[in-house]
Amino acid sequence: MDEKIFLDGNFFKKEDAKISVFDHGLLYGDGVFEGIRAYNRKVFKLKEHLDRLYVGAEIIKLQIPMSKAELEDAVIKLLLENKLDDAYIRVVVTRGVGDLGLDPRKCKKATVFIIAGKIVLYPEKYYENGLPIIIAKTRRNHPFSINPCVKSLNYLNNIFAKIEAVEKNVEEALMLTIDGFVCECTGDNIFIVKNGKLITPPNEIGALNGITQGAVISLAKKRNILFSYLMMKPEDIYTADECFLTGTAAEVIPVVAVDGKVIGTGKPGDVTKSLIQDFRALVKLEGVKY
Ligand code: PMP
């Protein structure tokens, strides 16, 4: 199929969608992005994703040269153009073309592009049997350096941890904060269930305020599951009754072993299973139609 790419106001064929080698998104990882899903011709939490994109851009003092409404419109047009009922959508805003110096003032206009394609999920066996993960030696960026609440194009911190995961033959790695508290995975937030209570780390310690994380917290509240944001140490994960990850690409995925230590029964737990079920129902129901 002739996949189109949105780039600075125009729709290009995939092979014609090109950006400059002087774009600071490429030279310095200077920019922000979002990963968004569409399910059955509905874009899930589109407003929330675009809000997070604009907040991130504001934090890094990047002016997005389109309004939220224009960007929303571009996402929908691209999905229609590419005839996608289900999709993974990547919205990227870079600092734009500058010179070889760091100074963002040299970049006169941000570059905006959107890719919408088919989603490649984790194999279904991981949703049924759970995922083994590791705790990486790489620590999450301190919020005073590159704040993890900005979904920036600079993902080297996450990539280091991902390389550790690959070396240990697992799909995901959990990162701790500089002080050794449980933070988040390379592309997902983490939850545990302990004595019937659902816990995730507070985002302020240096984790992305995940859209899926937020949706799961609301679903848990609807089920009257007790929930708290709590600081945790690795031991809290090792001794949890259940553990799972949340993210736009992964959705809700059970974790059954961390660093080779079995979590709970070693099988996806009941709370996790109900939340997977609720989340799958929610994405079918909610979203911006196109
Ligand atoms: N943490 C990181 C580092 C991520 O890259 C992602 C994926 N965007 C998440 C958490 C999960 O966030 P969301 O549910 O909004 O996709």
Side-chain angles (χ1 to χ4, degrees), residues 96-110:
V97 176
D99 63 17
L100 288 180
L102 289 176
D103 191 343
R105 291 173 303 180
K106 297 280 170 60
C107 308
K108 294 300 172 206
K109 191 167 180 263

Side-chain angles (χ1 to χ4, degrees), residues 49 52 140 151 155 158 184-189 208 210-213 246-248:
H49 280 284
R52 187 171 68 184
R140 192 74 178 109
K151 204 164 160 54
Y155 252 51
N158 314 50
E184 64 174 340
C185 292
T186 68
D188 303 299
N189 293 103
L208 187 72
I211 310 285
T212 322
Q213 180 191 42
T246 61
T248 294

Side-chain angles (χ1 to χ4, degrees), residues 106-117:
K106 297 280 170 60
C107 308
K108 294 300 172 206
K109 191 167 180 263
T111 304
V112 180
F113 62 88
I114 312 170
I115 304 167

Side-chain angles (χ1 to χ4, degrees), residues 234-252:
E235 300 73 54
D236 297 309
I237 307 291
Y238 298 145
T239 59
D241 300 327
E242 298 182 30
C243 179
F244 63 86
L245 311 180
T246 61
T248 294
E251 304 178 333
V252 182

